[in-house]
Amino acid sequence: LAQALVGRAFAEPLVGAVVAHAGVENGPSRKVLEKCGFACIGRDDESGSDRFLLTRDQGGSGRGGCSPK
């Protein structure tokens, strides 16, 4: 489902990136995002969740700087 949503987003020519959030301790959601190629780009100060980014150009490296607590 996640890959289908990303594919749908990138089917739109004006979409250059998709951002997702996952709880720091939500391992299953983090794994889904990483499998889809999202890279963890940092912690959201307001929600405390980690932010993940996938850009159209990136092609999904799955690398990033966040690690679960």
Side-chain angles (χ1 to χ4, degrees):
L1 179 62
Q3 288 178 334
L5 292 172
V6 168
R8 174 71 176 112
F10 286 140
E12 298 295 325
L14 297 177
V15 174
V18 177
V19 176
H21 288 238
V24 176
E25 296 178 7
N26 190 343
S29 291
R30 298 170 65 84
K31 283 186 179 186
V32 167
L33 292 172
E34 290 166 357
K35 274 187 149 182
C36 289
F38 283 80
C40 189
I41 58 170
R43 180 108 356 115
D44 181 68
D45 292 333
E46 189 173 316
S47 69
S49 63
D50 282 340
R51 290 177 295 162
F52 290 80
L53 176 70
L54 179 66
T55 64
R56 182 185 301 273
D57 297 334
Q58 175 186 17
S61 71
R63 293 185 211 106
C66 301
S67 58
K69 283 185 174 179

